[in-house]
Amino acid sequence: MANMSTATGRMYLERDFYEKHKELVDKWIKFYQESNHIGEWYGLTYLATEDKTKDELIIEFEGMGRWSWENTLEWIFASKDFESQFNPYKAKLAEKLYEESQEVFMEYVDYEPGCEFLVEKEVTLKVEKYDNKYETSMAIETDIEIGYNDYNKIMNEVEEGYRLDNKEEVKALQVVLKDFYKENEEMITEKNYREFKKDVLVYIKQDRELNGGICLFRLEDPGMFLEDMEDSLKIA
C-alpha cells in the first residue's frame, strides 16, 4: 500500500458556472460532508463552501493522496475513481466541466511524514475526454518546497505544536514542560526544572529539525525526546 499524504486547501469555480449548475455543485459538495472518507482510501475527504464572490465560488477541501496529492489529482474529475465511496454527482459534474471548457484552480499544502515532504502548490485542473471516458489534466502553476521542520509543520497547520516566536504558544509550552518534568524527573539529566526548560528552549531554537518550533508528538515519547535533545545539545 502506498504512503498517504494529507492535503488541505481551496478550489475555485467560476461563479457563472456555479449559478448555472448550482444544484449539482451543491450536492457534490454536500456528499463529502455526509460521507466519512477519512482513513479509508485516497481522494477527497471533505468539501465545504467557504465564500461566494462576484466572480468565484471558493471551496475549502481536505484530501488524502496516494504518495502525494499531485499523484491523486488525475482522479478528481475522472470516470474511474479509487475513492472508497464513489460520489454519485461527480460524473455529471465532470461532464459539465468538459462541455463548457471550465477550469478549476486549486491551491493546497501537501504533507507526507513517511517520505518527509511538505509542499505548497497551485494547479489548474481541466477535464479531458478520451474514448468516452473523462480524465483530469493538470497544469502546475506554483510549486514551492517548504522546509521540512517542526516550525513549518505548525505554521502550515499540518501538526499541532508550539513556536518560539509566538508569546502565547511559549506560555502554553512552559505549562506542558512543567508537567513533563514532574512526570519524567527520574529520566531527566538536568537537576531542576529551570535548567531543563532552558535546555529545551535552546534545543528548539537551534536544532535544524525543529527550527524554532516543536510538534506535540515529540513529547509523547519522553525517552526518545530526551535522547534527541541530549544528542542535539551534547548534554553529558
Side-chain angles (χ1 to χ4, degrees), residues 100-155:
E100 300 181 28
S101 300
Q102 285 292 310
E103 295 180 341
V104 179
F105 183 75
M106 178 182 285
E107 57 184 10
Y108 64 89
V109 171
D110 194 20
Y111 172 52
E112 207 287 88
C115 294
E116 296 189 351
F117 72 73
L118 180 62
V119 297
E120 180 180 345
K121 293 193 178 187
E122 295 179 343
V123 299
T124 299
L125 305 178
K126 187 175 181 180
V127 178
E128 307 284 359
K129 192 174 184 180
Y130 302 98
D131 298 326
N132 292 319
K133 293 182 179 180
Y134 295 111
E135 297 181 8
T136 313
S137 66
M138 173 185 62
I140 298 176
E141 311 293 345
T142 303
D143 187 350
I144 301 172
E145 184 175 347
I146 303 171
Y148 192 82
N149 56 62
D150 282 25
Y151 182 91
N152 286 336
K153 294 174 191 176
I154 300 163
M155 190 71 178

Side-chain angles (χ1 to χ4, degrees), residues 74-81 90-100 126-137:
E74 64 181 290
W75 301 92
I76 297 300
F77 300 112
S79 294
K80 292 185 178 180
D81 201 333
K90 189 178 75 170
K92 192 65 176 179
L93 179 58
E95 177 185 323
K96 296 302 179 183
L97 290 168
Y98 173 75
E99 290 177 348
E100 300 181 28
K126 187 175 181 180
V127 178
E128 307 284 359
K129 192 174 184 180
Y130 302 98
D131 298 326
N132 292 319
K133 293 182 179 180
Y134 295 111
E135 297 181 8
T136 313
S137 66

Side-chain angles (χ1 to χ4, degrees), residues 80-92:
K80 292 185 178 180
D81 201 333
F82 53 29
E83 293 169 286
S84 59
Q85 298 183 41
F86 185 83
N87 189 322
Y89 307 104
K90 189 178 75 170
K92 192 65 176 179

Side-chain angles (χ1 to χ4, degrees), residues 196-209:
F196 171 69
K197 182 183 74 171
K198 179 182 177 181
D199 282 344
V200 171
L201 295 179
V202 171
Y203 169 48
I204 296 172
K205 182 179 180 180
Q206 295 183 354
D207 191 88
R208 289 184 179 181
E209 290 187 13

